[in-house]
Amino acid sequence: MEAIRKIIDSSLLIDIVALPESFRSKKVEIIILPVDERPTQQAFTMNDLNEMLEGSITESLIGILPNSGKSIENYRSERLSKFFA
């Protein structure tokens, strides 16, 4: 990725960018990088996730393990305790 670096007097930026008082009347370094223009990831709802997984390999795994009667919260706390104990 290309970048442009330039050292300039901060007074040239006063009308462009709000600078902290400590930057005033000093030389500052300007770094210019291209913006990544890829679209941001959208948030998925649980319903969206279920629709994506429907008919997938994960659906074929449902029921393979016996039902232990534990809730998701029990599994979660059990797994987290192994990492954050």
Side-chain angles (χ1 to χ4, degrees):
M1 174 187 331
E2 264 186 276
I4 299 172
R5 297 175 69 192
K6 196 128 180 147
I7 295 175
I8 64 169
D9 189 75
S10 63
S11 62
L12 297 172
L13 296 174
I14 289 176
D15 293 331
I16 301 170
V17 173
L19 295 175
E21 193 64 40
S22 62
F23 283 28
R24 299 196 185 204
S25 302
K26 293 184 179 176
K27 298 277 185 192
V28 293
E29 181 178 19
I30 303 296
I31 300 172
I32 301 173
L33 300 169
V35 174
D36 188 3
E37 301 252 346
R38 288 182 279 176
T40 58
Q41 288 182 328
Q42 68 182 59
F44 291 105
T45 64
M46 197 57 161
N47 200 25
D48 294 336
L49 185 59
N50 287 335
E51 286 177 14
M52 285 188 274
L53 294 176
E54 191 174 298
S56 68
I57 187 89
T58 54
E59 190 175 65
S60 67
L61 296 174
I62 295 172
I64 288 179
L65 296 175
N67 184 0
S68 65
K70 289 184 181 180
S71 69
I72 298 237
E73 287 74 25
N74 289 4
Y75 283 114
R76 182 177 292 130
S77 63
E78 181 182 294
R79 297 302 296 163
L80 289 175
S81 69
K82 291 182 181 184
F83 295 103
F84 301 106

